[in-house]
Amino acid sequence: LFRYYNSINNLNEIDRLKYNTSLTDLDLRLNPITKEENDYRLFLIQIVPSLKLLDDRTIRDGERQMAATLFENKNSQDSNKSS
């Protein structure tokens, strides 16, 4: 799925991609999100586990582990805030 120059600005706009369970290749280059959201790549790796290629770069096992750790930590911090 190629989404060049689509003015995608934040993680909320790409969150719906989690429902595309067979998505393996996604390219968001040249969208503001790639500059404005430091963790957009890890976020996508976490919510779309079927991805193999993101922005024309192969997703490595280390990135998957980092994404799982990062978002596990963010989720537990969010849980603590609401308690």
Side-chain angles (χ1 to χ4, degrees):
L1 181 62
F2 299 96
R3 307 305 304 165
Y4 292 149
Y5 292 110
N6 278 284
S7 298
I8 299 170
N9 293 310
N10 61 58
L11 298 179
N12 291 334
E13 293 181 45
I14 58 174
D15 187 58
R16 68 187 73 155
L17 291 173
K18 66 186 169 192
Y19 301 110
N20 295 324
T21 58
S22 57
L23 183 62
T24 59
D25 187 350
L26 177 64
D27 203 328
L28 295 177
R29 290 177 292 175
L30 305 175
N31 280 285
I33 193 171
T34 65
K35 302 281 188 246
E36 296 169 8
E37 293 282 354
N38 293 332
D39 296 326
Y40 89 95
R41 185 174 170 87
L42 295 176
F43 177 77
L44 279 166
I45 291 169
Q46 182 66 18
I47 68 165
V48 188
S50 58
L51 278 178
K52 298 191 182 326
L53 197 64
L54 179 56
D55 297 338
D56 203 31
R57 289 180 24 218
T58 302
I59 296 171
R60 300 178 321 272
D61 289 338
E63 284 181 294
R64 290 191 190 282
Q65 292 168 348
M66 193 180 320
T69 300
L70 176 66
F71 289 99
E72 179 181 302
N73 289 339
K74 282 189 178 187
N75 288 338
S76 55
Q77 287 174 357
D78 291 344
S79 296
N80 290 337
K81 286 179 185 177
S82 62
S83 298

